[in-house]
Amino acid sequence: MPESITLGDELAVSAMGFGGMALTPVYGGAVDDAESLATLHHAVDVGVTFLDTANVYGSGDNERLFARLLADRRDEVTLATKFGIVSNPAERAAGRVALRGDAAYVRQCIDESLQRLQTDTVDLYYLHRRDPNVPIEETVGAMAELVTAGKVRHLGLSEVSAADLRAANAVHPIAALQSEWSIWTRDVEAAIAPAAAELGIGLVPFSPLGRGFLAGAVRSTADMGDNDFRRTMPRFTGAALDANQRVVDAVVAVADDDGATPAQVALAWLRHRAEDLGVASVPIPGTRRAARIDENLASLSVTLTPDQVDALGAAGDAVTGARYADMSHVGSSRE
């Protein structure tokens, strides 16, 4: 079983987490609920017990799927879910993301999530994206009321700035900040990761394998549907695709030298980088296949040399192209 890591607010979780978004048709392709449920059970079986979902994934179907696991294994799981994105899937696919963080919506969303999850308490409740029209203090204040009411144990934020992180933590202790972070996406290292380290807040990287880039480059696209979503991202078009392929080549070269897989090297690099920055960090890679969970978990046994860490970091510095076609809902938050 993997070791545990303590994030912020004394929240201890498994050293490897699991992001459940791929278990509903977010990335395209058919999804088999029985296989998805088997994947969740396998994660818990091997000790990956920090499980992440959100109310917006599959318009609630992802939380309903999680409920089927929790029915028998709630005490084994550290459960995280999120709220705050209210646009429908078509709007999000077109780059139009509507957000809400008002107190009434906070209270509405937790009750809806608890109903779908068929549980009394969420271990970690995230604000999925900050509503720019609502002070962060109001949103977090309403979230803190959920802790007092026993509906939530710990609070988290996603894709916020260092300033917002400080303001939120002054209202109520923040256990975790979830943000995209990988060898391909390193902007959080400038101000956000240092702020999290200073405040004792853990970082939970999503898309730690590069938002589909590594999956599309060195893994079967069956892992995440047909990967059509990648074609809408500037990183996967034209000259940027060719440039970023060189980063994949650097990861593959280290993997060949170490007898590891490229995914394991990418995850190991992220672990080493978090250690260098002094921040507790637990990634939540997602997959539809149980075998990939085993592969990702084995990255905890991959040790990179300082030269390898530096070489991979230098390669990552050369990444070009935005991670979204429209960065308006996250770009200004990440310094």
Side-chain angles (χ1 to χ4, degrees), residues 16 42-43 45-48 219 261 264 267 287 289-300:
M16 182 65 63
H42 181 77
D45 288 342
V46 298
V48 178
R219 285 182 169 180
T261 69
Q264 289 168 348
L267 290 168
T287 179
R289 297 184 175 185
R292 295 304 187 197
I293 294 174
D294 296 336
E295 178 185 352
N296 295 335
L297 184 58
S299 71
L300 296 174

Side-chain angles (χ1 to χ4, degrees), residues 11 29 41 55 62 124 182 318:
L11 174 60
H41 275 289
N55 64 349
N62 204 270
L124 176 58
S182 72

Side-chain angles (χ1 to χ4, degrees), residues 9-233:
D9 197 28
E10 300 183 351
L11 174 60
V13 301
S14 57
M16 182 65 63
F18 178 81
M21 184 168 66
L23 300 181
T24 40
V26 176
Y27 293 118
V31 178
D32 182 280
D33 282 349
E35 181 180 7
S36 294
L37 184 59
T39 297
L40 282 175
H41 275 289
H42 181 77
V44 178
D45 288 342
V46 298
V48 178
T49 57
F50 181 33
L51 306 183
D52 181 276
T53 182
N55 64 349
V56 75
Y57 298 162
S59 300
D61 285 345
N62 204 270
E63 288 184 327
R64 294 184 186 96
L65 175 69
F66 272 55
R68 295 168 64 184
L69 171 83
L70 299 175
D72 299 319
R73 311 189 72 169
R74 179 65 184 93
D75 292 343
E76 300 176 65
V77 168
T78 303
L79 173 66
T81 193
K82 316 178 199 70
F83 78 97
I85 298 177
V86 299
S87 48
N88 64 43
E91 289 173 325
R92 293 193 298 275
R96 299 187 296 272
V97 179
L99 308 171
R100 277 187 68 180
D102 56 280
Y105 194 65
V106 174
R107 292 188 286 268
Q108 172 189 332
C109 285
I110 188 59
D111 288 341
E112 292 172 346
S113 284
L114 290 174
Q115 175 62 34
R116 284 189 292 266
L117 291 162
Q118 291 293 288
T119 190
D120 296 327
T121 306
V122 167
D123 298 306
L124 176 58
Y125 198 43
Y126 288 105
L127 172 63
H128 207 162
R129 294 291 187 276
R130 187 201 163 175
D131 182 348
N133 298 312
V134 176
I136 192 72
E137 292 86 354
E138 175 183 334
T139 305
V140 175
M143 294 169 71
E145 293 174 3
L146 305 181
V147 177
T148 302
K151 296 179 179 182
V152 170
R153 293 192 174 100
H154 301 273
L155 303 185
L157 305 172
S158 180
E159 298 276 44
V160 300
S161 68
D164 283 340
L165 192 61
R166 295 180 190 281
N169 196 63
V171 175
H172 186 280
I174 301 299
L177 170 64
Q178 185 174 135
S179 285
E180 183 169 354
W181 188 17
S182 72
I183 194 172
W184 284 269
T185 304
R186 300 183 58 192
D187 48 341
V188 297
E189 296 178 22
I192 294 171
E198 175 191 335
L199 297 170
I201 297 170
L203 268 176
V204 178
F206 71 85
S207 297
L209 301 181
R211 197 163 183 79
F213 195 90
L214 195 60
V218 300
R219 285 182 169 180
S220 165
T221 56
D223 270 355
M224 302 174 73
D226 59 14
N227 276 321
D228 282 344
F229 79 101
R230 293 190 298 119
R231 301 189 185 102
T232 68
M233 298 179 187

Side-chain angles (χ1 to χ4, degrees), residues 219-288:
R219 285 182 169 180
S220 165
T221 56
D223 270 355
M224 302 174 73
D226 59 14
N227 276 321
D228 282 344
F229 79 101
R230 293 190 298 119
R231 301 189 185 102
T232 68
M233 298 179 187
R235 289 183 179 176
F236 298 95
T237 59
L241 178 61
D242 294 334
N244 294 334
Q245 179 62 42
R246 290 194 287 272
V247 185
V248 176
D249 294 341
V251 173
V252 171
V254 172
D256 289 343
D257 287 343
D258 285 9
T261 69
Q264 289 168 348
V265 168
L267 290 168
W269 177 86
L270 188 58
R271 187 180 73 250
H272 282 280
R273 185 63 184 144
E275 291 171 355
D276 288 343
L277 292 170
V279 62
S281 179
V282 177
I284 51 167
T287 179
R288 293 175 180 169

